[in-house]
Amino acid sequence: MRLRKEWALLVVGLFACGETGQPATTAEQPMKRPRSTMRPLTEGPTVRASVRCAECHEPYAAGWQGSAHARAAKSPYYRALGGDGDERCSACHTPLRGEVPAEDPIHAEGVTCDACHTVSAVGPGGKPGDAGLTFDLAANRKYGSLCDAEDNYFHRVGCAPVFAESRFCGGCHSLEWPVEGGASLAVITDFAEWSSNPGRGTTTCQECHMSGGFGEVSRGWAERDALSRHDLFGADDELLAEGLNLEAQILDEGGGRTIEAVLANRGAAHSIPAGLAGRRLVLSAEFVDGAGERVRQDERVYARILVNAAGDEVVFTQATKAGEDSRIGPGERRVERFDVPQGAAVAQLRVRRFDLGPAVAAGLGMEPSAGQLVLSEDVALGAPPR
Ligand code: HEC
Ligand code: HEC
Ligand code: HEC
Ligand code: HEC
Ligand code: HEC
């Protein structure tokens, strides 16, 4: 590695306030790493807000900031469920709760930099209050999968190959919720589905969700080949459209006219929609006439829902059993037919993603959402054949 600007500044700093009056190094001597400026081991747990990491790792912070991980402690949905302050939830949503005092502002950052990068070992997790993560905060060490990185004056580094393995995500991206009678409900199945998907080959979560290009890991340091992106973790990211494919054609059969739409999961190693039970994708077909007025609207919903004893969809904390599962499995193509009504000139096909269903939102007193538009296609219908 070449000499970094930070070291040079540090050496100047040491010289300026040097107690012995001797420079730490001279131009003739080889530069030594100034270990004495390292935070002492006895100082206790060290966690830092993401803004500190941004000083040297700015692109990582920008990517993370726009991702779902940054909102894990404060999204309206999470708050509506009373997650904030509930210790069954904090292991995954505010993972440093058990490690540093409750008043520390770091908790508001949810799944923040240090919540992942102080993890030294990973077990199965997936339970209330248990994400399977072992933290090492004592030595101010940031763990990652680079094993040739060097300590710097701000933090030590730790080589942890588990960061490049799916099980790193698995402890949080699995959730079994206990229900009466000692049974449990599968609430989040991302890791389990990936594990049991024979078509995944060796592709890890990180290869799809984190693969980035060439660049500096830290400002001013030597460039590396493959950085890890931190922006493909939900919140309307570009993976949503990449994972799906929509094709439509007009079918004229038996005197009737239909639109055949094929929605395929072509990019994910798990079902779509992934994540928390109740996430949904909606394929809608809106038929409009020549003046653009709606003639008819039809839709199909893809979701895995949890229900209460009455069979109504509810949030996982109130559910007693699993309901319908209409998600699109890895590699699966879902073929849908929509009848074309009289007078329709265009079929507007739209795929939207919703964090939660309308009944559940209403039950929580949340505003219904318009969803995120993922894909769209307009089919001109022309004149029907005679
Ligand atoms: C959800 C956990 C998680 C969070 C939160 C997270 N990271 Fe990472 N980060 C990872 C993983 C996993 C890797 C390694 C990926 C791999 O090797 O395939 C990584 C890699 C890195 C690396 C090593 C260099 C590289 O490109 O691989 C740096 C530096 C880094 N992250 C900085 C940050 C910063 C700064 C933040 C906060 C702004 C942050 N990370 C938030 C999981 C996380
Ligand atoms: C003063 C600059 C600086 C600050 C601030 C900083 N880092 Fe780093 N970090 C570095 C340097 C330098 C490297 C090594 C870069 C290299 O080898 O290419 C590094 C490497 C890393 C790695 C890779 C470790 C590995 O073995 O894979 C992680 C993870 C990381 N930093 C996380 C963080 C987090 C989290 C924060 C905020 C709490 C942070 N850094 C703040 C300079 C900094
Ligand atoms: C410490 C626990 C934890 C770890 C480790 C973790 N996540 Fe997450 N992840 C969360 C939580 C909590 C959320 C939900 C945040 C929200 O939406 O409020 C989330 C959200 C996401 C989302 C967005 C989901 C959606 O429906 O919008 C994706 C994608 C994701 N994580 C992928 C990953 C991958 C891939 C890894 C491994 C590299 C990983 N996560 C590691 C806890 C974690
Ligand atoms: C082969 C690539 C691939 C692999 C491997 C993969 N994912 Fe995904 N993942 C995707 C794509 C593509 C999407 C977007 C799906 C869509 O269109 O809704 C996605 C979506 C998600 C979402 C929901 C995000 C959202 O915004 O709705 C979560 C959560 C998630 N993945 C977690 C994981 C975890 C955890 C792993 C590993 C156990 C993993 N993924 C492995 C490609 C992958
Ligand atoms: C074992 C880890 C784990 C535990 C424990 C856990 N969660 Fe989560 N939670 C996750 C992960 C991972 C996601 C991301 C999946 C997704 O976004 O689709 C998530 C997503 C969510 C979301 C969606 C957030 C949004 O903004 O859309 C809500 C709400 C939520 N959890 C509430 C809770 C509550 C409330 C508790 C405690 C009663 C809890 N969770 C316990 C891992 C966990």
Side-chain angles (χ1 to χ4, degrees), residues 85 115 306:
L306 301 176

Side-chain angles (χ1 to χ4, degrees), residues 2 12 44 95 104 111 139 188 232 255 261 279 285 310 341 367:
R2 64 180 140 89
V12 170
D104 199 303
V111 182
I188 298 174
L232 297 180
R279 299 295 205 203
E367 291 290 321

Side-chain angles (χ1 to χ4, degrees), residues 72-358:
K74 53 185 177 216
S75 81
Y77 188 8
Y78 185 65
R79 286 181 176 234
L81 286 189
D84 201 24
D86 183 335
E87 51 185 46
R88 298 173 304 168
C89 319
S90 52
C92 304
H93 286 261
T94 52
L96 294 167
R97 274 237 189 259
E99 309 297 319
V100 295
E103 334 49 274
D104 199 303
I106 195 93
H107 304 306
E109 293 196 5
V111 182
T112 183
C113 313
D114 269 355
C116 286
H117 288 295
T118 60
V119 168
S120 58
V122 179
K127 294 185 194 69
D130 180 13
L133 305 174
T134 302
F135 296 92
D136 169 15
L137 299 178
N140 188 29
R141 196 180 293 285
K142 308 303 175 201
Y143 290 86
S145 66
L146 300 178
C147 289
D148 61 350
E150 290 167 45
D151 293 349
N152 62 76
Y153 72 85
F154 192 78
H155 64 76
R156 295 186 172 89
V157 291
C159 156
V162 69
F163 274 73
E165 297 174 26
S166 291
R167 67 189 176 91
F168 176 81
C169 320
C172 295
H173 281 267
S174 320
L175 180 58
E176 291 277 336
W177 203 255
V179 287
E180 265 177 50
S184 64
L185 277 179
V187 177
I188 298 174
T189 55
D190 308 330
F191 179 68
E193 282 183 39
W194 172 88
S195 304
S196 62
N197 169 12
R200 71 177 152 83
T202 55
T203 313
T204 59
C205 315
Q206 289 85 337
E207 282 171 85
C208 293
H209 284 272
M210 300 191 76
S211 283
F214 186 79
E216 294 170 347
V217 166
S218 176
R219 188 194 308 229
W221 283 53
E223 288 178 316
R224 293 175 178 270
D225 288 345
L227 304 191
S228 307
R229 295 179 63 167
H230 283 58
D231 61 333
L232 297 180
F233 296 126
D236 204 8
D237 65 48
E238 66 196 44
L239 270 186
L240 280 177
E242 272 174 26
L244 287 165
N245 193 45
L246 175 64
E247 278 166 24
Q249 59 170 330
I250 305 170
L251 297 180
D252 290 306
E253 303 171 326
R257 183 161 241 224
T258 52
I259 292 283
E260 184 185 84
V262 181
L263 188 59
N265 173 347
R266 58 165 189 189
H270 44 65
S271 297
I272 297 180
L276 192 69
R279 299 295 205 203
R280 60 193 60 208
L281 273 188
V282 177
L283 167 63
S284 64
E286 183 164 326
F287 293 94
V288 298
D289 64 17
E293 294 293 317
R294 180 196 287 184
V295 183
R296 183 195 289 161
Q297 156 116 19
D298 200 355
E299 65 180 35
R300 304 286 184 274
V301 176
Y302 309 98
R304 184 173 66 88
I305 63 167
L306 301 176
V307 299
N308 61 16
D312 300 324
E313 184 185 359
V314 288
V315 295
F316 71 91
T317 46
Q318 293 162 16
T320 54
K321 57 185 184 204
E324 198 194 338
D325 182 357
S326 57
R327 293 172 307 160
I328 308 173
E332 188 184 343
R333 298 168 76 245
R334 203 59 75 77
V335 182
E336 307 288 1
R337 299 254 173 114
F338 298 101
D339 290 335
V340 177
Q342 285 294 327
V346 180
Q348 300 176 336
L349 299 172
R350 302 286 180 269
V351 177
R352 292 190 175 81
R353 180 190 176 280
F354 295 82
D355 278 344
L356 68 171

Side-chain angles (χ1 to χ4, degrees), residues 7-22:
W7 291 131
L9 290 172
L10 197 73
V11 170
V12 170
L14 284 174
F15 181 62
C17 59
E19 280 157 28
T20 62
Q22 295 297 313

